[in-house]
Amino acid sequence: SKGVETTRLYTVVPAHVRCRIIERERVVCTDCGSSTTAEMPPMPCKRTLYDARFLAWLVTMKFGMLVPLDRVRLRLKSQGIDLAMGTLVHLIARAAKLAAAVDEEHWRLLTAGPYVAFDGTGLKTLIAGQDKAWDGYLEVFTRDELSVFQYDVTKHADGLAERLHGVNVPLLCDAESRNRAAAPNNDLAHCNAHPLRKYREALRVQPKLAAQGMHFIGQLYELEDEARDEGLTGARLRTFRQRKSRAVLERYKAWLLEVQGRGLPPSDPVLKVVKTTINHWDGLTRFVDDPALPLDNNVSEREFQRHAKLRHASLFAGSVRGAERWATLLGVVRTAQKCGLDVEA
């Protein structure tokens, strides 16, 4: 008998950026002196020297592979393509303009769903006249496979309020006064992972009380795991939560009120968590009656992992417009990644 033995051999195939020389025949009329030239091959913009494939590669390098433009430039130069940094910035601007319509459609789909989760973090930006990088604010809005990023020069509620105008679905976000000010008429759901982390930090000072608080929230997560294993969604998940999760929350609320009445010093870390939890109880428990809502806002926080790596490597965005392009392209690339697509394609 005969068999087949298969062996895989890995090697490296160099990928090069190619520069094509396009010669087009130019014909001059002998009667009127006017000239005509054959049309250029299809390009993403008029009178461009870079085709759509090059733009896609550049966007993928920066926002998919998280390589800053200065390192992209060095890579190109090693292959004999010497482009100025200003040229690469210009190409990113062109790509962002082309991708803006896709980003807008993602926003439409996102805000038409059962809820929107969002969170924010910093993005330093160079602004003319400032002696140091400006601390701007990047916000992510997400749900399932959709992610949309938006940049604001400040963390004030005005920009957020403008974006959320007309959005009528529940909002999953941190329990900040800014978020309530920006969406006074929306149902706000808050993150139960936040108090869990605060209890964990308080273990060194109040090990017994902190462990008790963690136990209640841990039970909620265990119930969510049970519901997920049973494949519960929609009305069935709502019934499950109202029957089991609410019972845990009732015991948790009684414990919170008991701890609040113990007369602990204001600086006590557990007391701080207790007071915050009581003050935002409606938002922290909204998931019980809305099966679409998750228990926490970790989905938003995870979206910043790639942004944080790019931010660390790039240090800052070159301008406010550059930060806005950063947001647009990061959102389009991230959504493609979450959909399991080839970003460059």
Side-chain angles (χ1 to χ4, degrees):
S1 63
K2 295 182 178 180
V4 177
E5 180 178 334
T6 302
T7 302
R8 289 184 174 87
L9 175 63
Y10 294 90
T11 186
V12 174
V13 180
H16 286 269
V17 176
R18 293 178 173 85
C19 176
R20 290 187 296 164
I21 305 299
I22 300 174
E23 294 182 351
R24 295 177 292 157
E25 185 178 15
R26 183 170 177 268
V27 180
V28 180
C29 178
T30 56
D31 295 329
C32 65
S34 62
S35 63
T36 59
T37 307
E39 292 185 358
M40 283 283 289
M43 296 291 180
C45 298
K46 292 181 179 180
R47 302 184 65 82
T48 184
L49 299 176
Y50 307 89
D51 62 13
R53 184 180 295 276
F54 184 82
L55 288 185
W57 175 83
L58 184 60
V59 169
T60 303
M61 287 297 291
K62 180 168 183 179
F63 298 100
M65 305 305 295
L66 311 178
V67 182
L69 286 185
D70 59 334
R71 298 181 194 174
V72 173
R73 182 171 181 267
L74 290 175
R75 173 63 173 162
L76 290 172
K77 194 172 182 179
S78 73
Q79 297 176 344
I81 307 294
D82 192 2
L83 299 180
M85 179 62 74
T87 299
L88 297 179
V89 172
H90 173 71
L91 292 174
I92 288 293
R94 179 171 294 177
K97 184 176 181 180
L98 293 170
V102 178
D103 197 47
E104 291 170 3
E105 177 65 8
H106 290 168
W107 176 255
R108 187 192 69 80
L109 294 170
L110 182 62
T111 55
Y115 73 94
V116 175
F118 70 91
D119 201 357
T121 189
L123 174 57
K124 290 185 179 297
T125 308
L126 297 185
I127 297 179
Q130 297 292 322
D131 58 357
K132 61 180 182 179
W134 183 268
D135 291 321
Y137 196 66
L138 188 75
E139 216 147 23
V140 64
F141 301 84
T142 186
R143 187 193 65 253
D144 301 326
E145 75 279 6
L146 295 163
S147 288
V148 175
F149 290 82
Q150 297 282 350
Y151 175 79
D152 271 330
V153 177
T154 70
K155 195 181 176 181
H156 296 157
D158 298 349
L160 179 60
E162 183 177 345
R163 277 192 286 277
L164 294 178
H165 178 71
V167 177
N168 300 313
V169 299
L171 303 174
L172 179 58
C173 56
D174 291 348
E176 296 182 6
S177 58
R178 167 183 181 269
N179 296 337
R180 172 48 72 193
N185 300 318
N186 289 76
D187 290 335
L188 298 188
H190 299 316
C191 176
N192 283 278
H194 278 73
L196 182 60
R197 294 174 198 146
K198 293 298 181 181
Y199 283 131
R200 190 175 292 120
E201 293 171 4
L203 281 171
R204 292 179 298 174
V205 180
Q206 285 277 21
K208 184 176 180 180
L209 280 180
Q212 289 173 351
M214 291 175 61
H215 176 70
F216 286 113
I217 300 179
Q219 285 184 307
L220 296 176
Y221 276 98
E222 289 172 2
L223 288 173
E224 288 298 297
D225 291 340
E226 181 182 337
R228 188 180 303 109
D229 292 342
E230 295 182 15
L232 302 181
T233 58
R236 294 176 64 205
L237 178 57
R238 181 191 294 111
T239 300
F240 177 88
R241 286 175 169 178
Q242 290 175 342
R243 181 167 54 90
K244 293 191 174 183
S245 300
R246 180 162 287 165
V248 173
L249 288 169
E250 289 174 354
R251 296 193 298 272
Y252 183 30
K253 183 67 173 292
W255 178 84
L256 291 168
L257 294 174
E258 190 271 329
V259 172
Q260 187 181 39
R262 286 191 179 190
L264 296 171
S267 61
D268 187 273
V270 172
L271 181 61
K272 290 181 179 180
V273 185
V274 167
K275 287 184 175 180
T276 302
T277 301
I278 292 174
N279 290 339
H280 298 98
W281 185 253
D282 290 344
L284 289 168
T285 61
R286 197 173 301 281
F287 73 95
V288 174
D289 298 313
D290 189 341
L293 291 172
L295 196 59
D296 55 44
N297 195 22
N298 290 346
V299 62
S300 295
E301 297 178 6
R302 284 193 294 268
E303 287 304 284
F304 285 127
Q305 292 177 359
R306 298 184 64 78
H307 161 70
K309 294 175 182 177
L310 179 59
R311 179 180 60 187
H312 177 74
S314 301
L315 301 182
F316 49 77
S319 65
V320 172
R321 292 294 301 276
E324 292 169 350
R325 295 164 189 149
W326 180 311
T328 297
L329 293 173
L330 187 64
V332 171
V333 167
R334 184 65 188 127
T335 298
Q337 290 173 330
K338 291 166 72 177
C339 290
L341 301 177
D342 180 341
V343 175
E344 188 169 340

